[in-house]
Amino acid sequence: VLSLCCEACKKVIFHVPSELEADTLVGRVNLKECLQSAEFISSSDGNFKILEDGSVYTTSAVSLSAEKTTFTILLEDIQEHVQKKIHVSLVEEEKKTRKTRHARDTVLKRTKRRWGPIPSVMIENSLGPFPLQIQQVQSDTAQNYTIYYSASGPGIDQDPKGLFYIERETGNIFATRAVDREQYPSFQIICFATTPDGYSPEVPLVHTIRIEDDNDNAPYFTQDLFEFSVLENSKPGVLVGKVTAEDRDEPYTLHTTLKYRIVSQNPLVPPAFSLHGDTGVISVSSPQLDRELVSSYTLLVEVRDMAGQPFGLCTTGTAIIKIEDTNDNAPSFKQIQYETRVEENRVNVEILRVSVVDLDEPGSPGSGAVYEIIRGNDDRSFEITTDKNTNEGILCVVKGLDYESAKQRILVIAVNNEAPYMLAPYSQQLSQSTSSVTVHILDVDEGPVFKPCHLRIDVKECEDIGTSIGRYLAEDPETGNSEGICYRIAPGQCNWISIDEKSGEVRTVKVLDRDVAEMRRGQCNITVLAIDRNGKTGTGTIQVVIQPGNKNYPRILKTDYIMCRDRKPICLTAQDADESPYSTPFVYRITDRSLASMWKITRHNDNSVYLSPKGDIPFGTYSIPVSVIDNGGKVGENNINVNFCDCITPTECGMIRAFPNVTLGVWAILAMILGSLLLLLILITICGCCGSGVMHRHVTDDCANHNLIISNTEAPGEEVMDHNIIPLQNTSDQGGYGIKTGDQQTFEMVKGRGHTLESVKGGGHQTLGSVKEGGGQPMMDTCRYSYSEWHNFTHPRLGEKVHLCRQDEEQKHSEDYLLSYNYEGKGSLAGSVGCCSDQHEEEALDFLDQLEPKFRTLAETCVKR
C-alpha cells in the first residue's frame, strides 16, 4: 500500500488500490499537528476507523467508486470545547506500465553494496546475559584484505561510556549492561573498517541502535488533587471536569494507552458522577444533586495503561467535587405575627427586628434576605432594611405618627432573596412568606400643628403695604382647635410680610418686588412659629410667590436717527423689563396728529416697528412723539428725533444730539441777554468800519504779478467761445455758497478776511453794489445777489481783464487768462491761488501762515519779503 502523510490538518490524500480488504492500513495522519489534546476521534464513514496514533484502517472491504472516495476525521477537545476536522481523500493509484528498453537507452551499471546492516534493536532493561551481542557489521573487502573493525560515538567512547563495544576481528557489537529507554531511546555509532596498515577500503558507517520500549513506567496523574464544582440540581450529562494522566513509556503504543475509572465515591450514596474511560471527563449522572444534603463528593479514580488490561500498570488519584448552592430554598419567617410600640411623633427610630430561616448557603445571594412592607404603609411612615451581619429585618419609623389619627398600625411584611428563586426538580412552587406586625402608638403631649404644614400664597407684584394676603392657622392636636395659640415669624426670616400674633392673618409690610436679590425666582420661604399655652411649639412654612406685575413702562432704546433721500424706513425697538404677559406685544402710535399725517408706522414683530414718511416731505429735523403700549396697557412716551437730510449715506449729515431739558435760572437768562447785546454792538461797529473804508479800495487791473491772492469762492467756470466775449451760463448746480430760490440763482460772495465785493472799487468801474442799486448806494444789509446782477458786474470787467492779459510782448496768447472751471464743491479753508484774483494789501496775505506744509514753499516764493 502506497500512503502519503499530509502535514496539513485540513486535507489529506492517500493513493490506494481500487480494492481494499478489511483491516487494511490505508495510511497515517498526524493528529497532533491538527489538535494537540484530542479526546474524541471519530470518522464520518463507518468503513474506516482511526486509531489514536493517526493510523487509518478499513473496517470492511472497500471498493473505490468513481476513482475517488472522501470522508472526514473529527477531532474534539471536550474540556476546551474545540473541534477540528481533517478531510481525507482516497485516490486510486495509477497502474505501472513496463517500459521497453531500446538500444539507445543508457545501460545501468551495478554499484557497490553498502557494507552496513539494518538498524539494531536492543530491548529495554534486558536481563542479559552480558555481554549481549546485538549486531555484526562486515565488509566485502574482507575477502581480499585483512580487516579490523572499530567504532566510536555515544555508548562507546562518549557518555554513557562502555555501554557497547565491537570485536576487532569479527565486527560483532556487544552491549555490556541494561539500558533505560526513557533515558536513552537510541544510539548512533560510527563503524570503521581498516587494514593493518591503516588503509580504509570502506566509507565509515553510521549505525543506529534503537532501544525497544518495555512497559516499565506506570501512568501518573498530572495533579495530586483534582478539585471541581458543579451547581446543585444539575441535569445528567453536565460536564464537571477532566482528570489527566501521563505515561513516560513510548507514545502511541499499548504501554501508553490509558484507561480511567472511578474506584470509589464518598459519601456512599447512589453514584452521582460518571468517568469517561478514554478521556477522563467527569460528568453528572444523578439528577438529584442537593447541596443541603451533600455539599461535596470525593472520588477515588484509577488510570491504567495497556488499554486497561489487568496486567497493565495503574495509579490512583483523588478528585473532590463541590456542590455549589442555588436559591432552591425560599426564606420563611420564624414568626407569623409581631407586636411593638412607639411614641407618636418619633422619627428615625428602630421599633422591631424580624428574622427568617433559609436553608441555602449562608452569606450567598441565595440566602440574603430582602424585606418589604406590602401593606399598611401607604403614607410611607415606616421603612424596613436588612442587617447584613445577622440577616434580620430592621423596622423603623421615618415619619412621625399621630396618636389622634390612629392608635395602632398593622403592617404586612414579605421576604425574598437577593438571587432569583430556582425551582428544584420534582418540587412544587412555594408561596411567598409573610408576617404581620401590629404597631401600637403611644400618646404624648405635643405642640400645635399647622394645617397645612406648607402654605403657598400667591401675591401680585407691587401690592400696597398692609394688604392682607391670607391666614395661616395651627391647631392643638389634643383639642383640635386654635384657641390660645400665638403666631410669630422666626428670627432671621424675610421681612416682607408679617403675621398677626392672635389671628394668624398675613399682611405685606413692604412693596413686594420679585427682582430684588432676596427673592429667589420671585419667591421666598418664611418659617412661622405657633406656641400654645404650655409653651409647646410647632412650625410651618409660608411660601410667598410673587406673581409678575406691570410696573415698568415700555421704552424705545434708540431715539436719534438720520434718514437720507432714499427714505429707508427706520426700525424702532422697545424694551420692557416686565415679564409676560405684561411686556410684548407692543402697540406703537404717533400722538401728534400733524406728524401722524406725514409719518406712518408699519409692524415688524412683537417689539419692533418701521417708521417711514407717507409721501414727499421737506428736508429737515423732525421730533416725532411716539407712544408705546405694552400688553398690560401701560403707556410709555418717547420722542423720536429724525434728521431727514439730503444725503446718500448717514455719515454725510451730523447726528442729532438729544439734549435733556434744562431749566435756566434768573442769572443765566440775564447773562445771555447781556451777551447778546454785546455781540450786536460789535457787529454794528464792524459794519460801520466796512462801509466807510472799503469804498476807497479799487480793483487792480494788473494781473501779471503772479502773486498768491485770497479767493474763497470759485464760481462755476464757463467755456470761452470768443477771444473778447466771456458768456456766463446759468446752471442748476448748487454750489458751496450759492443758494437757489425758484428759477433765480443768487450767490453769496465772501472774500478772505471778511472783504465783500462791495469793497472792491476801481477807477471808472462799477461795483456789484452799485449795479444792484442802479448806480446808487450799495446795500450792506444782505450779501446776496441775483445772477443778472452778478453778470452785469463781472462781464465788462472780466472782458477788459482778458483783453489785457491775453497777449504778451510777442503778440501771443498768454497762458494765464480766465479758464473754465467745473464745479468742485465747497471751497477750501485756505483759499485758491490764481494770478487774476484781486490783489490787496500786504497784510491781507497772512493767511499763508495757515496753509498746509506743501503750500508754504510756494507761498514763500511768490510773496515779496
Side-chain angles (χ1 to χ4, degrees):
V1 178
L2 178 63
S3 66
L4 175 62
C5 181
C6 182
E7 296 297 329
C9 65
K10 291 185 178 181
K11 187 174 181 181
V12 178
I13 300 175
F14 293 114
H15 295 272
V16 296
S18 59
E19 300 292 336
L20 296 175
E21 297 180 357
D23 297 329
T24 301
L25 176 64
V26 178
R28 177 176 292 180
V29 180
N30 191 345
L31 303 180
K32 294 294 184 181
E33 290 189 357
C34 187
L35 186 60
Q36 187 71 25
S37 58
E39 299 172 354
F40 287 111
I41 305 173
S42 61
S43 172
S44 62
D45 192 344
N47 295 323
F48 300 92
K49 64 179 179 180
I50 294 88
L51 302 184
E52 294 182 354
D53 61 350
S55 300
V56 181
Y57 285 88
T58 58
T59 58
S60 60
V62 177
S63 177
L64 298 184
S65 60
E67 298 183 354
K68 187 173 181 182
T69 298
T70 61
F71 62 93
T72 302
I73 300 175
L74 178 63
L75 306 177
E76 184 175 1
D77 188 343
I78 298 177
Q79 187 173 3
E80 300 294 334
H81 302 287
V82 178
Q83 292 184 351
K84 295 287 185 178
K85 291 183 179 180
I86 302 176
H87 299 282
V88 180
S89 300
L90 302 183
V91 180
E92 182 179 359
E93 63 182 0
E94 297 180 359
K95 296 182 180 179
K96 297 181 180 180
T97 57
R98 298 188 61 185
K99 182 180 177 181
T100 305
R101 186 175 65 85
H102 300 280
R104 293 183 180 181
D105 291 345
T106 302
V107 178
L108 299 178
K109 296 183 179 180
R110 182 178 180 274
T111 58
K112 184 177 181 180
R113 179 176 59 84
R114 290 284 295 176
W115 61 287
I118 61 175
S120 304
V121 176
M122 178 181 176
I123 298 177
E124 179 187 15
N125 300 323
S126 175
L127 300 177
F130 296 103
L132 176 65
Q133 182 179 355
I134 57 176
Q135 189 57 275
Q136 180 183 18
V137 293
Q138 289 184 339
S139 175
D140 294 341
T141 60
Q143 299 176 0
N144 302 322
Y145 302 97
T146 300
I147 298 299
Y148 296 128
Y149 299 96
S150 61
S152 65
I156 298 179
D157 55 358
Q158 298 177 14
D159 291 333
K161 296 180 180 179
L163 181 58
F164 305 102
Y165 70 90
I166 185 171
E167 286 187 343
R168 183 180 180 187
E169 291 81 7
T170 61
N172 293 327
I173 300 176
F174 294 91
T176 60
R177 58 184 183 273
V179 181
D180 186 4
R181 190 207 66 84
E182 286 70 36
Q183 185 176 9
Y184 302 105
S186 65
F187 297 90
Q188 282 189 345
I189 62 175
I190 301 176
C191 301
F192 303 93
T194 59
T195 59
D197 57 358
Y199 171 69
S200 298
E202 296 283 1
V203 177
L205 172 67
V206 178
H207 182 63
T208 301
I209 302 175
R210 187 175 65 84
I211 307 302
E212 185 175 347
D213 183 52
D214 181 29
N215 191 21
D216 59 341
N217 293 282
Y220 60 93
F221 286 101
T222 56
Q223 296 179 219
D224 296 334
L225 179 65
F226 291 92
E227 293 182 347
F228 308 104
S229 62
V230 65
L231 292 175
E232 63 175 332
N233 302 319
S234 295
K235 296 180 180 179
V238 175
L239 297 181
V240 178
K242 178 181 178 181
V243 294
T244 56
E246 296 179 353
D247 197 321
R248 296 179 59 194
D249 291 327
E250 187 174 1
Y252 309 112
T253 62
L254 284 176
H255 298 164
T256 54
T257 303
L258 308 180
K259 289 289 183 180
Y260 301 91
R261 72 184 184 93
I262 297 177
V263 178
S264 63
Q265 171 185 294
N266 186 27
L268 298 175
V269 293
F273 303 96
S274 62
L275 179 62
H276 193 281
D278 295 330
T279 62
V281 174
I282 302 175
S283 59
V284 177
S285 61
S286 173
Q288 296 180 346
L289 291 178
D290 191 350
R291 189 204 66 84
E292 288 72 33
L293 297 178
V294 180
S295 60
S296 66
Y297 292 85
T298 302
L299 303 181
L300 183 64
V301 293
E302 177 191 84
V303 58
R304 186 181 295 270
D305 60 12
M306 301 301 292
Q309 298 296 327
F311 52 81
L313 303 178
C314 66
T315 303
T316 59
T318 303
I320 297 178
I321 302 174
K322 181 181 178 182
I323 308 301
E324 293 186 350
D325 182 54
T326 59
N327 190 21
D328 58 344
N329 295 281
S332 60
F333 284 99
K334 292 183 178 180
Q335 297 178 222
I336 60 174
Q337 289 184 349
Y338 293 91
E339 287 191 11
T340 184
R341 291 176 175 80
V342 63
E343 294 180 351
E344 64 175 334
N345 300 323
R346 293 289 302 276
V347 180
N348 297 328
V349 58
E350 177 184 332
I351 61 174
L352 181 66
R353 281 181 175 253
V354 296
S355 58
V356 295
V357 176
D358 197 324
L359 298 179
D360 292 321
E361 184 177 4
S364 66
S367 64
V370 178
Y371 301 90
E372 62 176 336
I373 303 174
I374 62 176
R375 196 181 309 149
N377 191 32
D378 297 336
D379 57 352
R380 305 292 180 183
S381 297
F382 300 92
E383 183 181 86
I384 188 167
T385 57
T386 303
D387 188 338
K388 297 298 182 181
N389 297 325
T390 62
N391 209 31
E392 293 178 327
I394 305 173
L395 182 63
C396 298
V397 177
V398 294
K399 268 188 192 179
L401 303 176
D402 187 8
Y403 173 82
E404 287 72 24
S405 299
K407 295 178 175 56
Q408 69 177 14
R409 300 281 293 272
I410 299 177
L411 309 176
V412 178
I413 302 174
V415 64
N416 291 305
N417 288 127
E418 296 176 5
Y421 179 74
M422 298 178 63
L423 185 62
Y426 312 106
S427 61
Q428 297 180 353
Q429 180 71 39
L430 299 177
S431 60
Q432 187 181 32
S433 178
T434 59
S435 178
S436 64
V437 179
T438 302
V439 180
H440 298 282
I441 303 173
L442 303 180
D443 185 25
V444 294
D445 186 14
E446 52 189 340
V449 177
F450 282 97
K451 291 186 179 181
C453 61
H454 186 92
L455 177 65
R456 171 174 172 153
I457 300 178
D458 293 334
V459 186
K460 289 186 178 180
E461 193 175 14
C462 301
E463 199 71 67
D464 294 336
I465 299 175
T467 302
S468 177
I469 59 176
R471 296 184 67 187
Y472 195 27
L473 300 179
E475 295 180 356
D476 190 342
E478 311 296 333
T479 61
N481 56 54
S482 302
E483 295 181 1
I485 298 177
C486 298
Y487 303 95
R488 295 177 186 172
I489 294 178
Q493 301 292 311
C494 176
N495 58 351
W496 294 82
I497 66 172
S498 64
I499 186 169
D500 189 86
E501 185 175 354
K502 294 183 178 181
S503 64
E505 186 175 11
V506 181
R507 293 179 178 273
T508 60
V509 296
K510 288 185 179 181
V511 177
L512 301 182
D513 188 354
R514 59 183 287 110
D515 298 328
V516 298
E518 298 180 16
M519 293 291 177
R520 296 183 178 179
R521 299 180 180 177
Q523 66 182 23
C524 66
N525 295 329
I526 301 173
T527 302
V528 181
L529 305 179
I531 307 171
D532 61 9
R533 295 186 181 95
N534 299 325
K536 296 288 185 179
T537 303
T539 59
T541 302
I542 297 178
Q543 182 184 25
V544 179
V545 179
I546 303 177
Q547 301 297 334
N550 195 11
K551 66 176 182 178
N552 296 295
Y553 294 92
R555 181 175 58 89
I556 296 178
L557 300 179
K558 182 180 178 183
T559 58
D560 296 331
Y561 296 93
I562 295 177
M563 178 180 289
C564 290
R565 65 180 64 168
D566 58 357
R567 298 192 299 180
K568 183 178 180 181
I570 298 170
C571 183
L572 303 180
T573 302
Q575 185 180 30
D576 195 331
D578 295 327
E579 297 182 2
S580 180
Y582 301 108
S583 56
T584 58
F586 298 133
V587 176
Y588 291 78
R589 292 178 182 172
I590 299 176
T591 57
D592 188 282
R593 291 186 178 182
S594 61
L595 292 175
S597 62
M598 301 173 61
W599 298 84
K600 64 179 179 178
I601 290 178
T602 307
R603 176 181 170 84
H604 178 215
N605 52 32
D606 286 348
N607 61 341
S608 299
V609 294
Y610 288 116
L611 177 66
S612 60
K614 290 184 177 181
D616 293 335
I617 61 175
F619 296 108
T621 301
Y622 295 87
S623 179
I624 306 171
V626 177
S627 65
V628 184
I629 307 173
D630 61 16
N631 198 34
K634 209 149 195 176
V635 180
E637 298 294 341
N638 302 268
N639 268 348
I640 306 301
N641 300 315
V642 180
N643 181 10
F644 186 29
C645 180
D646 185 13
C647 60
I648 298 177
T649 59
T651 56
E652 298 178 11
C653 295
M655 286 291 296
I656 299 176
R657 301 182 180 270
F659 295 96
N661 294 329
V662 179
T663 302
L664 299 179
V666 176
W667 291 106
I669 296 175
L670 183 60
M672 292 175 63
I673 295 174
L674 293 177
S676 301
L677 294 176
L678 180 61
L679 179 61
L680 181 60
L681 181 60
I682 295 174
L683 291 176
I684 293 173
T685 304
I686 294 176
C687 292
C689 294
C690 294
S692 59
V694 299
M695 298 303 296
H696 298 285
R697 299 180 184 180
H698 62 276
V699 179
T700 305
D701 294 334
D702 189 7
C703 297
N705 291 334
H706 300 281
N707 291 332
L708 291 177
I709 55 91
I710 300 172
S711 178
N712 284 346
T713 301
E714 295 180 0
E718 302 295 334
E719 183 179 2
V720 179
M721 304 300 298
D722 189 78
H723 296 295
N724 299 321
I725 301 175
I726 303 176
L728 299 176
Q729 299 178 358
N730 193 3
T731 178
S732 61
D733 292 337
Q734 183 173 341
Y737 289 83
I739 299 177
K740 181 178 180 182
T741 304
D743 295 331
Q744 184 179 6
Q745 186 177 13
T746 62
F747 297 86
E748 179 179 355
M749 304 301 296
V750 180
K751 305 264 310 166
R753 295 300 177 184
H755 299 286
T756 63
L757 288 180
E758 288 85 354
S759 62
V760 180
K761 181 179 180 181
H765 294 281
Q766 291 179 323
T767 65
L768 186 58
S770 63
V771 174
K772 183 175 182 181
E773 291 296 325
Q777 295 296 326
M779 294 181 63
M780 300 302 296
D781 57 344
T782 176
C783 293
R784 302 181 183 272
Y785 307 93
S786 64
Y787 174 74
S788 58
E789 293 171 343
W790 166 259
H791 182 270
N792 293 333
F793 174 75
T794 58
H795 187 273
R797 290 180 55 77
L798 291 178
E800 183 179 356
K801 288 180 178 289
V802 171
H803 178 74
L804 294 176
C805 298
R806 58 184 294 267
Q807 295 180 351
D808 54 10
E809 297 177 355
E810 297 179 0
Q811 302 298 321
K812 293 183 180 179
H813 287 287
S814 174
E815 295 180 357
D816 192 5
Y817 57 83
L818 183 65
L819 300 179
S820 62
Y821 294 92
N822 289 331
Y823 174 64
E824 297 179 351
K826 187 175 181 180
S828 172
L829 296 178
S832 60
V833 180
C835 68
C836 294
S837 301
D838 294 336
Q839 181 177 3
H840 300 285
E841 290 82 2
E842 191 76 351
E843 62 272 7
L845 299 180
D846 57 355
F847 72 95
L848 294 175
D849 297 334
Q850 301 177 0
L851 294 178
E852 295 181 1
K854 57 184 178 181
F855 292 105
R856 291 178 180 174
T857 303
L858 178 60
E860 293 174 357
T861 304
C862 296
V863 177
K864 296 180 180 180
R865 297 296 184 182

